[in-house]
Amino acid sequence: MWQELEDADRARRLVGLEHRLKARDRVEAKVSEEMRVKGRTADEALAAITDKTRYTFVYASDSYRPGVRADIERLWASGWVEIELRDFREAPVRLGVVSVWREPESGDLVEVQFHTRLSYSARERSFPLYARLREPGTSDAERADLLALHRAIYWCGPAPVSSPRPGAAAERVTYYAIIDALGSGDEPVGVLRRIVHRGGQRDEAFGHDLAWRHTFLLYSAERGCLDNKLRQISGGDADDIVQRIRGRWPTPPSATQAFKLTL
């Protein structure tokens, strides 16, 4: 079917077919993080991953809008169900259009990206930086440098404030509620925070192991992953989510429970 889609319009290309399946270690990392941060079972976590299989269309800039629309209509006509579509073209960081579809026969989720040649090139060039950002062993200082390089590749708007300005507080913490398709409406299923300080920055999520630990979920969302919606919240709201998670474990999980939660 995908070959037929590509043949339907030779003015654009279907690229990266050799990478259409997410690497096993990345799937395992996502499952582990879903289990720790949200308390999901392994099966629930696996089913919620939207980009285990990915396809990418690349268009010339002058044919981008009509090309994307035509390919979306072709997917509809083939029986695919559109789950979500987000247009990142007007964001300061240009990521094209990212969508998630349900395959009509298997019911599996599949990610489809629609890029211009420029946005696809930027995505490919920035991938090594993203790979380092998501690693727990990367230092706070290196993360700040990696984010600056990432913005240099992507950024099309005014320069953001990525670190405390001279005279500002030594540390700034921004909290986000995590919302996903398995939750109830806009009810948060987890919480994470971004800590920016004079020496760098880091992201942490409070998990069902009752600890704040490194997370890559915010980096993934900023890169266009649609697994989660992240809503900025206050510190008080974040504490409410933390206390609700703690309420599920009146005492810290045993070593066996903690191991199962982080598999």
Side-chain angles (χ1 to χ4, degrees), residues 125-146:
R125 288 185 290 122
S126 65
F127 181 79
L129 306 178
Y130 168 65
R132 285 293 299 153
L133 280 170
R134 71 191 183 202
E135 290 299 322
T138 303
S139 70
D140 290 7
E142 186 180 357
R143 289 187 202 286
D145 292 339
L146 289 167

Side-chain angles (χ1 to χ4, degrees), residues 32-243:
S32 177
E33 190 70 348
E34 289 277 313
M35 294 174 71
R36 189 189 80 83
V37 175
K38 303 178 187 177
R40 301 296 191 207
T41 66
D43 286 342
E44 289 173 338
L46 186 62
I49 298 175
T50 60
D51 62 350
K52 294 189 294 292
T53 308
R54 299 85 54 91
Y55 292 94
T56 303
F57 288 105
V58 176
Y59 310 77
S61 296
D62 57 357
S63 63
Y64 183 78
R65 288 179 181 273
V68 171
R69 182 65 187 179
D71 281 324
I72 287 174
E73 291 177 351
R74 290 183 183 108
L75 286 168
W76 288 340
S78 298
W80 286 64
V81 179
E82 180 185 322
I83 303 300
E84 187 171 3
L85 185 147
R86 294 190 206 173
D87 188 343
F88 293 93
R89 288 174 297 157
E90 301 305 319
V93 176
R94 305 296 170 87
L95 294 169
V97 172
V98 182
S99 60
V100 176
W101 300 76
R102 192 173 299 283
E103 202 273 334
E105 294 183 5
S106 69
D108 290 340
L109 297 179
V110 175
E111 181 186 87
V112 184
Q113 297 185 17
F114 306 93
H115 284 281
T116 64
R117 293 167 184 164
L118 181 60
S119 67
Y120 180 70
S121 173
R123 187 176 185 83
E124 291 298 289
R125 288 185 290 122
S126 65
F127 181 79
L129 306 178
Y130 168 65
R132 285 293 299 153
L133 280 170
R134 71 191 183 202
E135 290 299 322
T138 303
S139 70
D140 290 7
E142 186 180 357
R143 289 187 202 286
D145 292 339
L146 289 167
L147 285 170
L149 290 170
H150 196 271
R151 286 192 296 269
I153 293 174
Y154 269 110
W155 202 261
C156 300
V161 177
S162 58
S163 59
R165 294 175 296 234
E171 182 175 280
R172 183 177 67 251
V173 183
T174 306
Y175 294 94
Y176 297 87
I178 305 171
I179 300 165
D180 69 9
L182 295 180
S184 175
D186 287 339
E187 182 71 19
V189 293
V191 62
L192 63 82
R193 64 190 181 188
R194 172 161 288 176
I195 302 171
V196 180
H197 55 88
R198 297 189 188 281
Q201 76 93 38
R202 66 183 180 275
D203 292 351
E204 298 174 336
F206 188 83
H208 287 250
D209 56 353
L210 307 186
W212 287 97
R213 301 187 192 280
H214 163 77
T215 186
F216 53 78
L217 295 179
L218 183 49
Y219 299 125
S220 293
E222 290 173 336
R223 193 169 170 82
C225 178
L226 302 187
D227 288 354
N228 301 294
K229 295 179 181 177
L230 301 181
R231 185 179 69 218
Q232 188 171 333
I233 57 175
S234 68
D237 289 339
D239 188 59
D240 288 343
I241 299 172
V242 167
Q243 295 309 316

